[in-house]
Amino acid sequence: MSDTTPAALALTEPKIVTDAVVSKLQGCEGVSEAAVIEIEGRIHAFITPDTVDVQLIEKQLASELDEKLRPASYNALSQMPYTLRGRIDEGALETWLKGIKSTQSTEHLLAPPRVHIKEVRSGSTASSSSLSSIYSGHGVQDRASWDDYLESQLPNKVQPKPVRNLRYIGLIIYRRIFSVIFIANMIPFLLLLIKGTDCPTLATACSINLLIAICIRQDNVVNALFRIAGWVPRSWPLWIRKNAAKVYHLGGIHSGCAASATFWFGFLVVQASFDAFRTSPLDSTRKTISAATLGVAYVIMLLFTMMLSFAYPSVRRRIHNQFEQVHRFSGWTVLILFWILNFMLITDYTAPNASITRATLKTPGFWCLIIITISIASPWMHLRKVTVIPEKLSNHAIRLHFNYRQNPVPGSFVRLSDTPLMEWHSFATIAVPDRSGFSVVVSRAGDWTSKYINSPPTRMWIRGVPTRGVMNVAHFFNSAVIVGTGSGIGPCLPVLLAAKNNGIKVRVLWSTPKPQETFGDEIVNGVLAADPKAIIWDTRAHGKPDMVKLVWGLVQESKAEAVVIISNPALTKKVVYGMETRGVPAYGAIWDS
């Protein structure tokens, strides 16, 4: 039998010793995880959770371990730090233990989270210090309060089921806007159908609707509408601000006018079909509408029908890339053909001796087409290929850094592509205060994203200007609960980083698999810097929680005025419905394009 002393063993075979101590610690009552590090011949123990009775554990190990193998300190943590490879980060534990201030890079967003520590040997009952990493599956807040949220009963919804389903599902603001616009168009449509009209009048009605439908989607117009809505002071009553925050439903204007334009053009095609057989009242030698004009009208009608069919919500969701391509190429073709049709109609309806130029300048459709063309072309005037600095966060996510412009407004997005004519993808901008440029987080969600995670790009196409989206409405409130799942934390992060400067009190709920391993320290630390008590729920470790209950618990605890969520369609609708039917304003993407 070896006569090696425990002290010598600690120096010659530290791994065996520390493993033995870890094994003893894990056998103690209430210990979830344990780690041991050896510094200058002394062993230091770390255990989770921080509710464990460390005095009892110390007493138990005193009877089971030789005196020289007993830990010099017992440190209870709310969570164990992990490296990106999923191993306990001993460097982070040692850094804290030595009392060395975190040497976190200045390139990181914010300071790391705070962790509660109990130092037994020193006699201190509780102290706080910074660790350089976040702890998978938990925030800093006591887990017991989360359990209270999940175990509590949600209050009853405030309206009968038929009423609330009609209001919050069937007739959301988007659909109400669509309905108002469509009905407003159908009233004169039916009157003209009964009374009778001509093709130039119908072309004008169609052009006006197309003008509104296209301009309402223009980047600068969208930003202007968000700015106007954001002018409502936060001191004003909540009912005013919560309705102003519905500004992101402006897509209802786009779809309402586009659908109406298609109906008006259908009317024009029918009218032109009859006029093609009638003698022109201006020239008895020809028909009211020429065969060429009628042929162009039928081609435009076919393209309109294709665009409207592909834009139907269920079709759009199923084949979104094809929807975008049909919308883009058919739209450009329609624009060109509409210019041709406009001049053809002017020619058909102008007397032989009259001035075509004067007739053109008096035609409303001509001026509408000029504005429409400028609106469609303007984002492409900002098309550029820019340098990208990739930062691979994990096998499931990558962060792309851009430095070609100043910080975008929190809650805005940009469009990126590698094939500008074929497909574009929108990503929320992450702007860091006092740092130029921005970044986006790309999470694995299909072939396009997988390609760039596997082979990070160094150059990409970008179009238009950063455009405000649903996350921007968080600025309309004094306090808000921000909810994100997976890479949905990307759109939330710039709002969280700017919340303090903007005077917004935020609580955060982020549900995602392996947050630190997938997205890295910087993003997770940014979340906790905005809300030190953020709930960061590791779905890989704990499964998927009842998000409605967790959100409701945070709303009640923080007295938040609103909830903003960035998640998948199903969960977004569930949370928004669950909050709004209980009287809490809630906002989430509506996938209207």
Side-chain angles (χ1 to χ4, degrees), residues 349-359:
Y349 279 86
T350 301
N353 297 326
S355 170
I356 295 294
T357 302
R358 183 174 298 175

PDB file of all heavy atoms in Angstrom, residues 349-359:
ATOM      1  N   TYR A 349     -58.639  57.394 -75.953  1.00  0.00           N
ATOM      2  CA  TYR A 349     -59.685  58.307 -75.493  1.00  0.00           C
ATOM      3  C   TYR A 349     -59.354  59.784 -75.788  1.00  0.00           C
ATOM      4  O   TYR A 349     -59.943  60.674 -75.201  1.00  0.00           O
ATOM      5  CB  TYR A 349     -59.922  58.122 -73.993  1.00  0.00           C
ATOM      6  CG  TYR A 349     -60.805  56.929 -73.687  1.00  0.00           C
ATOM      7  CD1 TYR A 349     -60.263  55.659 -73.555  1.00  0.00           C
ATOM      8  CD2 TYR A 349     -62.183  57.081 -73.565  1.00  0.00           C
ATOM      9  CE1 TYR A 349     -61.067  54.563 -73.283  1.00  0.00           C
ATOM     10  CE2 TYR A 349     -63.003  55.983 -73.298  1.00  0.00           C
ATOM     11  CZ  TYR A 349     -62.440  54.725 -73.163  1.00  0.00           C
ATOM     12  OH  TYR A 349     -63.254  53.650 -72.905  1.00  0.00           O
ATOM     13  N   THR A 350     -58.416  60.013 -76.702  1.00  0.00           N
ATOM     14  CA  THR A 350     -58.092  61.386 -77.115  1.00  0.00           C
ATOM     15  C   THR A 350     -58.517  61.590 -78.564  1.00  0.00           C
ATOM     16  O   THR A 350     -58.252  60.733 -79.428  1.00  0.00           O
ATOM     17  CB  THR A 350     -56.577  61.646 -76.975  1.00  0.00           C
ATOM     18  OG1 THR A 350     -56.192  61.445 -75.613  1.00  0.00           O
ATOM     19  CG2 THR A 350     -56.245  63.091 -77.379  1.00  0.00           C
ATOM     20  N   ALA A 351     -59.175  62.725 -78.808  1.00  0.00           N
ATOM     21  CA  ALA A 351     -59.631  63.036 -80.168  1.00  0.00           C
ATOM     22  C   ALA A 351     -58.443  63.143 -81.113  1.00  0.00           C
ATOM     23  O   ALA A 351     -57.332  63.511 -80.707  1.00  0.00           O
ATOM     24  CB  ALA A 351     -60.424  64.343 -80.166  1.00  0.00           C
ATOM     25  N   PRO A 352     -58.631  62.833 -82.401  1.00  0.00           N
ATOM     26  CA  PRO A 352     -57.522  62.831 -83.365  1.00  0.00           C
ATOM     27  C   PRO A 352     -56.740  64.132 -83.417  1.00  0.00           C
ATOM     28  O   PRO A 352     -55.510  64.117 -83.599  1.00  0.00           O
ATOM     29  CB  PRO A 352     -58.235  62.561 -84.697  1.00  0.00           C
ATOM     30  CG  PRO A 352     -59.473  61.820 -84.325  1.00  0.00           C
ATOM     31  CD  PRO A 352     -59.903  62.388 -83.009  1.00  0.00           C
ATOM     32  N   ASN A 353     -57.396  65.270 -83.259  1.00  0.00           N
ATOM     33  CA  ASN A 353     -56.708  66.557 -83.384  1.00  0.00           C
ATOM     34  C   ASN A 353     -56.232  67.114 -82.040  1.00  0.00           C
ATOM     35  O   ASN A 353     -55.658  68.215 -82.008  1.00  0.00           O
ATOM     36  CB  ASN A 353     -57.636  67.574 -84.063  1.00  0.00           C
ATOM     37  CG  ASN A 353     -57.995  67.152 -85.480  1.00  0.00           C
ATOM     38  OD1 ASN A 353     -57.175  66.542 -86.163  1.00  0.00           O
ATOM     39  ND2 ASN A 353     -59.215  67.465 -85.911  1.00  0.00           N
ATOM     40  N   ALA A 354     -56.504  66.408 -80.928  1.00  0.00           N
ATOM     41  CA  ALA A 354     -56.126  66.900 -79.588  1.00  0.00           C
ATOM     42  C   ALA A 354     -54.671  66.566 -79.283  1.00  0.00           C
ATOM     43  O   ALA A 354     -54.068  65.665 -79.872  1.00  0.00           O
ATOM     44  CB  ALA A 354     -57.039  66.304 -78.533  1.00  0.00           C
ATOM     45  N   SER A 355     -54.101  67.274 -78.328  1.00  0.00           N
ATOM     46  CA  SER A 355     -52.702  67.074 -77.925  1.00  0.00           C
ATOM     47  C   SER A 355     -52.592  65.893 -76.958  1.00  0.00           C
ATOM     48  O   SER A 355     -53.207  65.893 -75.887  1.00  0.00           O
ATOM     49  CB  SER A 355     -52.150  68.336 -77.266  1.00  0.00           C
ATOM     50  OG  SER A 355     -50.896  68.091 -76.670  1.00  0.00           O
ATOM     51  N   ILE A 356     -51.797  64.904 -77.331  1.00  0.00           N
ATOM     52  CA  ILE A 356     -51.562  63.740 -76.467  1.00  0.00           C
ATOM     53  C   ILE A 356     -50.812  64.154 -75.201  1.00  0.00           C
ATOM     54  O   ILE A 356     -51.095  63.675 -74.096  1.00  0.00           O
ATOM     55  CB  ILE A 356     -50.763  62.660 -77.226  1.00  0.00           C
ATOM     56  CG1 ILE A 356     -51.585  62.103 -78.392  1.00  0.00           C
ATOM     57  CG2 ILE A 356     -50.358  61.536 -76.272  1.00  0.00           C
ATOM     58  CD1 ILE A 356     -52.809  61.341 -77.980  1.00  0.00           C
ATOM     59  N   THR A 357     -49.864  65.089 -75.369  1.00  0.00           N
ATOM     60  CA  THR A 357     -49.083  65.551 -74.224  1.00  0.00           C
ATOM     61  C   THR A 357     -49.975  66.202 -73.177  1.00  0.00           C
ATOM     62  O   THR A 357     -49.864  65.916 -71.974  1.00  0.00           O
ATOM     63  CB  THR A 357     -48.004  66.540 -74.670  1.00  0.00           C
ATOM     64  OG1 THR A 357     -47.151  65.911 -75.628  1.00  0.00           O
ATOM     65  CG2 THR A 357     -47.190  67.027 -73.481  1.00  0.00           C
ATOM     66  N   ARG A 358     -50.863  67.085 -73.633  1.00  0.00           N
ATOM     67  CA  ARG A 358     -51.757  67.773 -72.711  1.00  0.00           C
ATOM     68  C   ARG A 358     -52.691  66.766 -72.037  1.00  0.00           C
ATOM     69  O   ARG A 358     -52.955  66.864 -70.834  1.00  0.00           O
ATOM     70  CB  ARG A 358     -52.562  68.829 -73.458  1.00  0.00           C
ATOM     71  CG  ARG A 358     -53.473  69.658 -72.568  1.00  0.00           C
ATOM     72  CD  ARG A 358     -54.133  70.775 -73.360  1.00  0.00           C
ATOM     73  NE  ARG A 358     -53.109  71.685 -73.900  1.00  0.00           N
ATOM     74  CZ  ARG A 358     -53.401  72.705 -74.714  1.00  0.00           C
ATOM     75  NH1 ARG A 358     -54.647  72.928 -75.104  1.00  0.00           N
ATOM     76  NH2 ARG A 358     -52.424  73.497 -75.151  1.00  0.00           N
ATOM     77  N   ALA A 359     -53.173  65.803 -72.812  1.00  0.00           N
ATOM     78  CA  ALA A 359     -54.059  64.782 -72.250  1.00  0.00           C
ATOM     79  C   ALA A 359     -53.334  63.943 -71.208  1.00  0.00           C
ATOM     80  O   ALA A 359     -53.900  63.573 -70.174  1.00  0.00           O
ATOM     81  CB  ALA A 359     -54.597  63.893 -73.369  1.00  0.00           C
TER      82      ALA A 359
END
